[in-house]
Amino acid sequence: IPSLFFGIWIGCFAILGFNFRVVWQSFLDVIAIYVKSALANADHAAIIIFSLMIGGLVGIISKNGGMYGVVNSLLRFTKNPKRGQVITATLGLAIFFDDYANTLVVGNTMRKITDKLKISRAKLAFLVDATAAPIACIALITTWVGFQLGMIDASIQQIDAVTESAYLIYLKSIAYSFYPIFMLVFVMTIAGSGRDFASMFKYETEARIGRDPSLQSSEMGYSNEAETDRLEPKDPSRARALNAVIPIALFIGSVIGGLFVTGEGSSVQEIIGSADAYQALLWGSMIAVISAIILTLAQGIMSLEEAVQSWYEGVKFMIFAIIVLIMAWSLAETTELLQTANYLSSILDELLPVAMVPTSIFILSAATAFATGTSWGTMGIFYPIVVPLVWQILSINGVADPEHFYILYSSIACVLCGAVWGDHCSPISDTTIMSSMASGCDHIDHVATQLPYALVVASIALLLGTIPTGFGFPAWIMLLIGTIIVISSVLILGKKVD
């Protein structure tokens, strides 16, 4: 947040002419002009409301026992270390709508079971961390979607030639999100095959004989009581999976229905492209929250006051993300006025081949996320500059046409992919720290064991995903080839843990 604020301030100072007499005026303009403008935009308001409603939904289905019901319904299948790992990874996929909820619920819930099965805490932390952000960033309806749509929308507003909606661009970019997709394949292969390599193999071998070196000695779980309490059901004995499944199913159905109601055209792509995605998301989130409250009240699990309080607790955990989002929108406006993209493209157009633009973006985004420890902050910084920059490079090279839009989709995906990779590997990342704590794993052990896995997956994602698609290879072919190589890499590099 301070970095984004300082960026906006410098932008205001530049807009006013780099005159030291306007330093104070540029400071005041940050909130009086740019933050106010970001909040006054109707689409921005829709994204903020949607994000807060999703946070509230997570709060309700946590307190009414819905999420724990989903967990409990899968626990009966855990009988050996391999099954225990598969169930842990499956839970990571099942709680797809919020990475924080995913990390805290799965880590805290599965810790006792994985200890009993003699699975190392480092392995549990990896399974928790490596499913949380990757599934949250590519699933169609999550706490990430509103943020990503806001970033994409603010970016494409600067490009008159792009008429596709932000939601359609987001959907098309998923096919180029090679790192998150390959990481999910990698996690399921590691869990299902019972194989490990690098330092994780040593930790797993030691854990099987009762000497887990990654066991956190100072504390046995996540230390932030406020966050843990938010996810504890009021009455664990009444935890039912349907209390989470029904609202989420209604949410998904309502959003899909809303897209078709507000869209026009003869094909699904035309309908989604012309639909009012923000309105559909608002409808869906409201229906989901109301249905969750009705289910909770009908079963007598909580009073109305307690249900609203649970919703509010969930909303509070989205505030930080909303602040980052508003600041990023404000930064986007200053960079647009300063024509940052035009300037950068004038420097890079001859140095950077069009085909390598997405790869360069992935590397820069990954480095920033690793250094700062925040994927959302990285996206907030990069999206407003990257998307106009890519369009300028395409224009200068004479390929700014629908036939080459895949470069734009891939670049948008690469901001996200690089941010998630950096988030996975950074020792100061919030989700990495939370994964360690929720799993009761020594933090440095978690970073050291996860890093080799993340590097392998990122290498495959770049060499067999981002780079080939930059040169025009179809994304679906590279997804298929990359998936085969990911699975093969585990079978070749990994050794079975006895």
Side-chain angles (χ1 to χ4, degrees):
I1 287 174
S3 300
L4 286 167
F5 178 85
F6 190 66
I8 300 164
W9 186 7
I10 291 294
C12 295
F13 184 50
I15 288 166
L16 292 176
F18 275 121
N19 188 324
F20 281 100
R21 287 177 295 180
V22 297
V23 170
W24 179 245
Q25 183 62 47
S26 63
F27 174 78
L28 297 176
D29 283 354
V30 170
I31 197 162
I33 295 178
Y34 297 99
V35 171
K36 183 177 76 173
S37 175
L39 277 169
N41 184 294
D43 288 343
H44 293 179
I47 290 165
I48 291 170
I49 295 167
F50 162 72
S51 299
L52 294 175
M53 291 291 274
I54 289 294
L57 176 65
V58 172
I60 295 169
I61 63 177
S62 297
K63 277 293 182 185
N64 71 10
M67 282 209 291
Y68 270 77
V70 172
V71 171
N72 292 337
S73 64
L74 292 172
L75 293 186
R76 61 178 180 271
F77 298 107
T78 57
K79 294 180 180 177
N80 56 48
K82 191 187 290 187
R83 281 195 180 185
Q85 292 178 52
V86 171
I87 292 301
T88 303
T90 303
L91 275 173
L93 299 179
I95 305 176
F96 62 88
F97 40 84
D98 181 63
D99 59 327
Y100 281 5
N102 183 318
T103 301
L104 293 171
V105 170
V106 179
N108 280 305
T109 305
M110 294 301 297
R111 192 170 61 244
K112 292 178 184 177
I113 295 161
T114 53
D115 283 351
K116 186 179 177 182
L117 297 170
K118 295 186 176 179
I119 297 168
S120 69
R121 293 284 181 87
K123 189 61 169 293
L124 173 60
F126 164 70
L127 295 172
V128 167
D129 199 3
T131 52
I135 191 63
C137 72
I138 60 172
L140 300 182
I141 301 172
T142 71
T143 51
W144 285 56
V145 171
F147 185 86
Q148 288 170 251
L149 285 181
M151 291 291 89
I152 294 168
D153 189 52
S155 305
I156 62 172
Q157 291 297 325
Q158 304 175 42
I159 308 169
D160 294 333
V162 178
T163 56
E164 292 179 342
S165 68
Y167 196 72
L168 184 58
I169 290 173
Y170 162 69
L171 292 178
K172 289 183 175 180
S173 73
I174 291 174
Y176 298 90
S177 299
F178 295 105
Y179 178 75
I181 294 170
F182 289 168
M183 179 52 85
L184 294 175
V185 173
F186 184 86
V187 169
M188 296 309 295
T189 308
I190 283 280
S193 67
R195 293 173 180 267
D196 282 293
F197 59 89
S199 54
M200 188 71 84
F201 179 78
K202 183 189 80 172
Y203 281 74
E204 279 291 273
T205 305
E206 290 289 306
R208 293 293 192 278
I209 58 174
R211 294 202 305 259
D212 182 2
S214 62
L215 192 67
Q216 191 180 55
S217 56
S218 60
E219 55 185 315
M220 300 302 290
Y222 191 61
S223 59
N224 190 321
E225 293 180 7
E227 291 195 25
T228 304
D229 289 346
R230 174 178 78 107
L231 298 166
E232 286 290 336
K234 184 190 175 189
D235 185 357
S237 64
R238 302 180 68 183
R240 297 185 182 91
L242 285 176
N243 288 334
V245 172
I246 291 173
I248 292 168
L250 284 171
F251 185 16
I252 295 169
S254 301
V255 171
I256 293 170
L259 291 172
F260 278 87
V261 167
T262 59
E264 296 177 354
S266 55
S267 67
V268 173
Q269 184 168 319
E270 287 177 357
I271 291 169
I272 293 176
S274 62
D276 188 341
Y278 299 130
Q279 191 162 318
L281 289 168
L282 286 174
W283 289 345
S285 60
M286 185 178 71
I287 289 169
V289 168
I290 297 300
S291 65
I293 291 174
I294 290 171
L295 278 170
T296 304
L297 297 179
Q299 297 169 70
I301 298 171
M302 291 189 285
S303 66
L304 179 60
E305 183 181 355
E306 289 171 326
V308 172
Q309 186 62 36
S310 300
W311 174 84
Y312 176 63
E313 288 299 318
V315 164
K316 283 198 296 186
F317 280 88
M318 292 303 297
I319 296 298
F320 185 83
I322 295 297
I323 293 169
V324 172
L325 189 55
I326 293 167
M327 301 289 273
W329 280 328
S330 305
L331 182 65
E333 189 172 348
T334 62
T335 56
E336 182 181 4
L337 289 170
L338 290 167
Q339 299 188 55
T340 306
N342 293 353
Y343 173 68
L344 290 174
S345 63
S346 69
I347 299 172
L348 297 172
D349 63 328
E350 295 178 1
L351 300 174
L352 197 60
V354 171
M356 294 302 291
V357 168
T359 302
S360 304
I361 290 168
F362 177 95
I363 293 168
L364 288 170
S365 178
T368 304
F370 184 84
T372 60
T374 167
S375 51
W376 285 42
T378 300
M379 289 188 284
I381 293 166
F382 271 75
Y383 271 131
I385 299 172
V386 159
V387 176
L389 170 63
V390 171
W391 187 255
Q392 287 293 331
I393 292 174
L394 290 175
S395 300
I396 289 168
N397 286 274
V399 289
D401 53 63
E403 189 180 337
H404 292 85
F405 271 19
Y406 65 88
I407 295 289
L408 185 65
Y409 304 142
S410 182
S411 298
I412 286 170
C414 281
V415 172
L416 175 70
C417 296
V420 173
W421 182 87
D423 200 40
H424 273 169
C425 299
S426 175
I428 58 171
S429 157
D430 51 358
T431 47
T432 303
I433 293 167
M434 286 170 71
S435 299
S436 301
M437 292 180 143
S439 305
C441 172
D442 181 87
H443 180 56
I444 299 304
D445 288 340
H446 171 42
V447 174
T449 51
Q450 181 161 275
L451 185 59
Y453 286 178
L455 285 170
V456 168
V457 176
S459 299
I460 296 171
L462 281 175
L463 296 174
L464 293 173
T466 303
I467 293 174
T469 52
F471 284 95
F473 284 84
W476 70 270
I477 291 178
M478 301 322 299
L479 281 170
L480 184 61
I481 294 172
T483 298
I484 293 168
I485 298 301
V486 167
I487 295 169
S488 301
S489 69
V490 174
L491 300 179
I492 293 168
L493 297 173
K495 293 181 285 186
K496 284 217 169 193
V497 180
D498 188 1

